[in-house]
Amino acid sequence: MSSVVNEIMSLITVANLSKIYVNEEVQTPALQSVSFTIERGEFVAIMGPSGSGKSTLLQILGFLDRQTSGEYWFDGKTFTDYTADELARVRNKKMGFVFQSFNLLPRTTVLENVKLPLLYSAVPELEWEERARHSIEAVGLAHRLKHESNQLSGGEKQRVAIARALVNDPQVIFADEPTGNLDSKSGHEVMNIISALCDKHGKTVLLITHEPDIAAYAKRVIAMRDGEIESDQNPKP
């Protein structure tokens, strides 16, 4: 019993998670009996080819979708423990999201883009600019503070997206193919920043990727295929 309690007290616990999509009575399994735990401060890559279920898993872990069966605990609570408003607060306060497509507001400054999550938070407005500036400095873009997003390179745009994900001081960063739209040099610069979030700032990082050289930045790699976990390894000490 105590081992079950300890697992649930991990930041993320997934037990026998399955997801089935139904379209005109055709059932398509996306996840099948997936189980693992992630501790606070871990840097974990979930790796697999297209169609392996890794992005579906991220959607569920980020409370953006619900599993068909199985259990998911985040910070000791399941999906059903939260009201809709509480789920929104958890996503805003405890989770930060970084996507392949950046999702920045065009013709809007770096500072204003990074402030955006604070509009929906409980943080007093007087603190917004200081928080945003601190996050922007953390990704090395203080010199781009007043630049509009359309004036930035792809690597800089992704660094702004990381700063935006950091601005509410979340417990976990979910990064879905964060280097997918970047050249090799910019991709590795972004991954060095993401690594530092874990190593220097103690953030839990969950990275989705299909690229082995990007997954290699993580301290643990969960490989998926056809909706199932193929391996779960710690390649780094």
Side-chain angles (χ1 to χ4, degrees):
M1 179 68 178
S2 61
S3 63
V4 174
V5 172
N6 288 338
E7 284 187 358
I8 294 174
M9 290 312 293
S10 301
L11 182 61
I12 289 172
T13 300
V14 170
N16 297 315
L17 204 71
S18 294
K19 178 66 178 182
I20 299 172
Y21 291 106
V22 180
N23 184 19
E24 295 182 355
E25 299 184 359
V26 176
Q27 295 190 353
T28 304
L31 295 173
Q32 304 180 66
S33 301
V34 171
S35 298
F36 59 82
T37 61
I38 295 176
E39 303 301 329
R40 289 166 175 79
E42 271 199 277
F43 184 177
V44 180
I46 297 181
M47 184 182 167
S50 178
S52 62
K54 58 188 188 298
S55 291
T56 297
L57 179 59
L58 182 72
Q59 293 282 312
I60 293 171
L61 297 183
F63 288 142
L64 300 169
D65 197 1
R66 292 190 68 168
Q67 67 269 27
T68 303
S69 62
E71 295 291 341
Y72 166 42
W73 290 271
F74 177 80
D75 205 15
K77 292 185 177 182
T78 68
F79 200 111
T80 54
D81 290 330
Y82 297 101
T83 65
D85 286 345
E86 287 170 341
L87 281 174
R89 282 195 293 272
V90 168
R91 284 193 296 265
N92 181 260
K93 171 61 181 171
K94 295 187 177 183
M95 299 175 174
F97 296 90
V98 180
F99 297 104
Q100 177 177 342
S101 57
F102 316 137
N103 295 335
L104 301 181
L105 295 176
R107 296 179 298 280
T108 305
T109 67
V110 168
L111 184 63
E112 292 302 319
N113 266 286
V114 174
K115 278 184 184 180
L116 191 61
L118 297 169
L119 272 65
Y120 308 98
S121 74
V123 177
E125 188 172 353
L126 287 173
E127 297 179 21
W128 290 1
E129 182 150 338
E130 182 182 353
R131 279 196 176 219
R133 285 176 178 272
H134 181 73
S135 292
I136 293 164
E137 289 168 4
V139 299
L141 281 182
H143 62 295
R144 294 291 208 185
L145 200 73
K146 299 296 185 181
H147 284 67
E148 294 185 355
S149 59
N150 55 307
Q151 297 175 306
L152 306 178
S153 68
E156 288 172 332
K157 288 178 180 178
Q158 193 59 291
R159 285 154 71 182
V160 175
I162 294 170
R164 184 182 57 196
L166 282 174
V167 76
N168 271 325
D169 193 24
Q171 293 184 27
V172 60
I173 300 291
F174 293 118
D176 191 359
E177 301 280 7
T179 63
N181 282 337
L182 305 178
D183 60 56
S184 178
K185 181 176 181 292
S186 297
H188 288 293
E189 288 174 351
V190 163
M191 287 311 304
N192 285 330
I193 290 171
I194 289 175
S195 295
L197 298 181
C198 180
D199 295 338
K200 296 180 181 179
H201 301 285
K203 299 297 181 187
T204 305
V205 177
L206 191 66
L207 168 74
I208 301 292
T209 185
H210 65 278
E211 301 178 73
D213 61 325
I214 298 300
Y217 280 86
K219 296 181 175 65
R220 175 182 169 197
V221 178
I222 298 174
M224 296 190 67
R225 185 173 296 276
D226 298 329
E228 299 180 301
I229 292 179
E230 194 173 48
S231 64
D232 186 344
Q233 300 177 329
N234 292 279
K236 292 184 179 180

